[in-house]
Amino acid sequence: MSLSISALHTDKYQLTMMYAHYKNGTHQNRRAFDLYFRKLPFGNGYVVFAGLERVVQYLEGLRFQEEDIRFLEREMAFEPEFLDLLRSFRFTGTLHAMPEGTLAFPGEPLIRVEGNIMELQLIETALLNFVGYQSLIATKAARVRHVAGQDTLLEFGTRRAQEKDAAVWGTRAAYIGGFDATSNTYASQRFGIPSSGTHAHAWVQDFPTELEAFRAYAAAFPEATTLLVDTYDTLKSGVPHAIKVGLELKQQGNKLAGIRLDSGDLAYLSKQARIMLDEAGLTDTKITASSDLDEFTILNLKSQGAKIDAWGVGTKLITAFDQPALGAVYKMVARLEDGEWAPTIKISSNPAKITTPCRKNVYRIIDRKSGKARGDLITAVEETIDESKPLHLFDPEHPFRRKKVKHYQAMPLLQPIFQNGKCVYQLPPLSEIRKHHQQQLSLFWEEYLRILNPEVYPVSLSRQLWDTKQQLLNRIYDSIKAEE
């Protein structure tokens, strides 16, 4: 997969704003933006942040090619001097982000970026695209992992994904969220994710009998044979023939690795198949299930006592079937004026859409005794936290809900990724990102992690940040009232 991503991977209004700033002489003005989400997806208690590697690759290679320049000259009639500016365009900004795999919550900056207004407008669409999609899939994967327990999880979604990039990067996000392997061989090559796959119904249909098909497949893969048993009749044909081949493999010094169920009553069929395999002495043969699975289906099958060891999840994972968009947003929070950062705010008739001003940091407040998270605190960047003093946390939407926290550790979540256009962050291997995600989960009580009706995790603003927001709101309301 090419790491180059077109500079035209953006919305037209980003380009029109860039040009308007250029014409206005304000294109070099320095600004700060936050990328965050307002609402948790799937009714979940958290989001798994993903997509940073894609963001880094994009910003490092961000260039306008000559063919892009010719297109803009033809389609948008930009002045030659502006087109020359685009020819030398490079990302020069500073970017902070949470490490991939981190658990995040509404209103928290996943990414804070500073730079000239022209570059910050250009990159908005791409950053929202990469982070929104991958975070959504990683979160869905984490939900499936939560109900699957220690069972093996296989990502089978490539053929149902919205094109190649969604399949490949969605597979990566699923692996971060807890999946063990993928059917996508390109994603396996690109990211080092273990691959998994057996055969299709067409393999069985291509032979005179099911038994001949199974024997031929076992001859090709004697040390890793998993047979799809539902082409004709699962319990009367598929499983008995698989057992016969399994016993033949056993005589050869190998074993039948598994059978796969892809249709029908998976709970009943898996229980009957387990009995049949065990009675034949194939107790170590695993049962894999697929067929439009998601976390709710798996939870339901487990409640029925299904004897399934591995789950192949495709369509409903890779497409985030029940909520196909995270709804991430990218908003200006500060302007650099006369060497000082001035906070900015956006007001809406919808309270959830009122932004929180200032360049911000996010801290996870960890109880030193239990090792569990007590809440997150969003502060202005210039603020520091004295861990020897109690913290007073409150719910910004319901300020009367508050608590005092002692004996804690304030863990900063935002890390420097780019400084003045230079990447200063060493992208970790995918295995480390996956491990970081598991460590993140260990910080939270089960009440926040469960997939049904999770407890709301507390996220607080610092008093300084809260006061600044209220002052800006009052100032704007007063100015509107004065004009009436």
Side-chain angles (χ1 to χ4, degrees):
M1 177 185 298
S2 171
L3 301 184
S4 176
I5 302 167
S6 172
L8 297 185
H9 181 56
T10 191
D11 289 305
K12 183 174 182 178
Y13 84 149
Q14 311 290 11
L15 294 163
T16 60
M17 284 189 288
M18 291 167 65
Y19 185 67
H21 272 296
Y22 167 76
K23 293 290 288 182
N24 193 50
T26 55
H27 58 291
Q28 293 297 331
N29 288 354
R30 195 167 180 85
R31 303 294 184 245
F33 281 73
D34 283 347
L35 188 155
Y36 60 98
F37 62 92
R38 298 187 180 112
K39 185 178 179 182
L40 290 161
F42 314 118
N44 207 47
Y46 60 88
V47 157
V48 180
F49 173 58
L52 180 60
E53 181 172 316
R54 186 78 152 149
V55 168
V56 169
Q57 292 173 358
Y58 164 70
L59 294 178
E60 285 190 314
L62 188 54
R63 307 284 189 276
F64 283 90
Q65 305 299 327
E66 197 57 39
E67 63 189 71
D68 303 331
I69 302 296
R70 290 196 298 271
F71 171 81
L72 294 175
E73 182 178 30
R74 182 176 67 253
E75 295 295 324
M76 302 186 72
F78 289 149
E79 292 180 357
E81 293 80 7
F82 179 71
L83 296 175
D84 286 340
L85 186 63
L86 296 185
R87 285 187 174 92
S88 61
F89 182 94
R90 302 292 185 271
F91 177 69
T92 65
T94 293
L95 185 146
H96 290 73
M98 295 183 182
E100 288 190 274
T102 300
L103 269 59
F105 301 91
E108 297 181 342
L110 307 174
I111 291 175
R112 183 184 83 236
V113 60
E114 303 161 20
N116 67 63
I117 187 61
M118 194 167 79
E119 63 187 342
L120 297 191
Q121 294 291 182
L122 177 66
I123 68 176
E124 173 181 355
T125 301
L127 266 58
L128 288 170
N129 180 204
F130 304 147
V131 169
Y133 174 69
Q134 290 194 49
S135 297
L136 194 69
I137 302 305
T139 305
K140 185 72 170 177
R143 287 172 60 79
V144 177
R145 168 52 68 195
H146 191 74
V147 301
Q150 298 302 310
D151 296 348
T152 299
L153 290 177
L154 311 171
E155 185 277 312
F156 282 177
T158 296
R159 64 188 58 193
R160 301 290 168 77
Q162 284 88 349
E163 250 286 346
K164 183 188 77 171
D165 280 1
V168 174
W169 290 94
T171 293
R172 177 184 181 276
Y175 190 69
I176 291 172
F179 273 61
D180 298 297
T182 179
S183 65
N184 189 312
T185 51
Y186 186 64
S188 178
Q189 177 200 43
R190 173 73 178 82
F191 301 117
I193 300 171
S195 61
S196 177
T198 56
H199 63 80
H201 295 103
W203 173 265
V204 178
Q205 293 172 269
D206 207 34
F207 287 78
T209 68
E210 186 176 55
L211 182 58
E212 290 176 80
F214 285 178
R215 280 175 171 158
Y217 192 80
F221 301 98
E223 297 179 356
T225 302
T226 296
L227 301 172
L228 179 60
V229 296
D230 71 333
T231 303
Y232 302 124
D233 189 295
T234 300
L235 298 181
K236 293 181 179 179
S237 173
V239 176
H241 287 150
I243 288 173
K244 184 170 287 190
V245 172
L247 294 174
E248 292 169 358
L249 285 167
K250 198 171 184 179
Q251 290 178 344
Q252 299 165 14
N254 295 307
K255 71 174 184 178
L256 178 63
I259 64 169
R260 179 161 72 94
L261 306 171
D262 191 47
S263 61
D265 186 335
L266 297 179
Y268 173 75
L269 293 174
S270 67
K271 286 186 280 190
Q272 294 303 309
R274 183 75 271 160
I275 292 171
M276 295 166 70
L277 290 166
D278 289 350
E279 288 179 346
L282 302 178
T283 57
D284 54 356
T285 296
K286 305 297 184 183
I287 299 177
T288 298
S290 51
S291 184
D292 282 335
L293 299 176
D294 63 7
E295 65 269 40
F296 299 110
T297 309
I298 294 173
L299 182 64
N300 189 269
L301 287 167
K302 280 181 164 290
S303 73
Q304 297 175 57
K307 300 297 182 181
I308 296 170
D309 306 292
W311 308 86
V313 186
T315 302
K316 292 185 178 179
L317 168 66
I318 206 69
T319 65
F321 190 81
D322 42 346
Q323 184 168 331
L326 177 61
V329 295
Y330 177 91
K331 299 298 179 184
M332 184 188 294
V333 294
R335 299 179 298 181
L336 188 65
E337 297 178 347
D338 299 323
E340 299 288 336
W341 283 102
T344 66
I345 193 169
K346 169 188 173 291
I347 293 180
S348 169
S349 57
N350 181 350
K353 292 189 174 185
I354 298 176
T355 62
T356 299
C358 301
R359 297 178 304 144
K360 295 179 281 293
N361 283 326
V362 186
Y363 295 89
R364 186 141 294 156
I365 308 304
I366 309 297
D367 186 284
R368 290 190 178 274
K369 183 177 180 180
S370 67
K372 299 294 187 180
R374 298 288 306 276
D376 284 3
L377 177 64
I378 306 175
T379 73
V381 294
E382 63 270 17
E383 293 184 78
T384 58
I385 297 177
D386 185 349
E387 294 180 356
S388 67
K389 296 180 180 179
L391 271 181
H392 297 271
L393 305 180
F394 67 95
D395 183 341
E397 293 186 9
H398 308 283
F400 62 88
R401 298 175 60 181
R402 59 186 65 201
K403 62 181 176 181
K404 181 161 62 173
V405 180
K406 299 179 181 180
H407 311 299
Y408 62 89
Q409 173 192 358
M411 178 190 299
L413 297 186
L414 294 176
Q415 298 184 3
I417 310 298
F418 282 86
Q419 293 285 359
N420 300 320
K422 178 179 175 58
C423 183
V424 296
Y425 180 72
Q426 183 66 44
L427 287 170
L430 192 54
S431 59
E432 288 188 18
I433 296 173
R434 182 179 166 92
K435 183 178 179 181
H436 172 71
H437 171 60
Q438 295 301 316
Q439 292 170 339
Q440 283 280 296
L441 290 172
S442 71
L443 295 176
F444 292 84
W445 298 106
E446 169 62 21
E447 289 80 0
Y448 300 120
L449 302 179
R450 63 194 181 208
I451 69 165
L452 296 174
N453 299 317
E455 183 69 19
V456 176
Y457 179 75
V459 176
S460 176
L461 299 182
S462 69
R463 175 54 63 179
Q464 176 179 322
L465 206 54
W466 169 263
D467 289 343
T468 300
K469 184 172 184 176
Q470 300 311 308
Q471 289 165 7
L472 285 178
L473 286 171
N474 291 334
R475 187 185 307 164
I476 292 172
Y477 289 139
D478 289 345
S479 66
I480 294 174
K481 186 176 180 180
E483 294 175 0
E484 291 178 350

